[in-house]
Amino acid sequence: MKKKEVVTSELVKELRLEAARYKEAFDKSDDELVALQKENAQLRKVKDAVEVKAIDRAKMDEWDTFLDAVEKVALALKPLNNAVATVLYYDYKGQSFIPEPQERNILIGDENKGLVRFDQGWEPDYAHPDMRKAQYALDQFKTVLRQIGDIIEERFEEENEGIRLGLEFSPFWESFFRVKIYQTDI
């Protein structure tokens, strides 16, 4: 025989509290729906495309996410000199870096510090903590770009004439990560 559940005053209080929380959540989502409907009505009234863009950009959280990711990479690259940053750049392109003699001398010193190594071209040595931090920040940036690149692309192109968005483009690194990328000798 099944045991019957007893409804106590505590259970009733709990159920009333839970119902109140659900009602509060419903009211909140209803308020958000009303706000979105007002915004939609406002957009329908706007006839000027420039004004529509201004409204869209004011609400563009993806742009802030992009800029935060850029800043994290720039901070991670800050302790590294331009020759080491260049080695990272070419690594992200799937290439080794073959420098001019001037940069080669710098990289030999960086090899002694454990930042880079030579094997048919200069490559990052990710065993070094600064290199791991830079790699992590670059990987996080790559993920952000994969997720929101299409969303921010138009704004990026308008605000950064002549620069392509992506880790494979040296002008992007130079403009956003504030490093100088040397050309490889291969």
Side-chain angles (χ1 to χ4, degrees):
M1 184 183 298
K2 287 186 175 181
K3 192 175 180 182
K4 291 186 179 183
E5 187 174 336
V6 178
V7 178
T8 63
S9 62
E10 284 184 61
L11 181 60
V12 170
K13 286 179 187 176
E14 264 184 61
L15 291 172
R16 285 186 177 149
L17 283 172
E18 192 174 340
R21 285 193 299 267
Y22 286 133
K23 183 177 179 348
E24 185 180 326
F26 176 80
D27 290 343
K28 184 178 177 183
S29 66
D30 197 37
D31 291 345
E32 290 174 358
L33 178 63
V34 169
L36 288 171
Q37 287 171 335
K38 285 180 183 177
E39 182 180 336
N40 195 20
Q42 179 186 8
L43 286 171
R44 285 190 185 126
K45 290 178 186 176
V46 175
K47 294 180 182 176
D48 185 5
V50 173
E51 197 172 335
V52 171
K53 272 189 186 175
I55 291 169
D56 284 346
R57 287 194 176 160
K59 297 186 175 289
M60 186 180 261
D61 292 335
E62 291 87 359
W63 188 254
D64 292 331
T65 301
F66 166 73
L67 292 177
D68 286 344
V70 163
E71 191 55 33
K72 287 176 182 170
V73 173
L75 286 172
L77 294 177
K78 193 172 185 174
L80 308 174
N81 63 45
N82 288 329
V84 173
T86 299
V87 170
L88 279 166
Y89 164 73
Y90 282 101
D91 187 56
Y92 270 82
K93 287 185 70 162
Q95 301 173 1
S96 293
F97 176 53
I98 307 294
E100 297 288 331
Q102 180 179 331
E103 288 85 35
R104 188 175 307 126
N105 292 335
I106 295 169
L107 288 171
I108 290 170
D110 294 324
E111 182 178 35
N112 293 335
K113 295 175 189 173
L115 293 164
V116 294
R117 63 177 175 254
F118 188 85
D119 180 25
Q120 298 185 16
W122 289 98
E123 299 171 352
D125 187 343
Y126 291 116
H128 193 284
D130 287 344
M131 298 303 279
R132 280 195 310 270
K133 288 176 190 174
Q135 179 188 33
Y136 179 78
L138 285 162
D139 287 346
Q140 293 299 309
F141 179 80
K142 194 175 184 180
T143 300
V144 166
L145 205 54
R146 197 175 315 118
Q147 292 171 347
I148 65 171
D150 292 342
I151 298 169
I152 65 165
E153 188 171 18
E154 182 181 343
R155 180 174 181 177
F156 180 86
E157 288 173 357
E158 287 177 9
E159 293 185 13
N160 300 283
E161 192 173 318
I163 298 175
R164 289 187 61 190
L165 177 61
L167 288 174
E168 65 272 25
F169 306 113
S170 61
F172 179 85
W173 282 62
E174 291 175 341
S175 293
F176 284 86
F177 302 152
R178 301 182 289 278
V179 295
K180 168 81 174 113
I181 300 299
Y182 302 118
Q183 297 305 308
T184 190
D185 228 12
I186 52 175

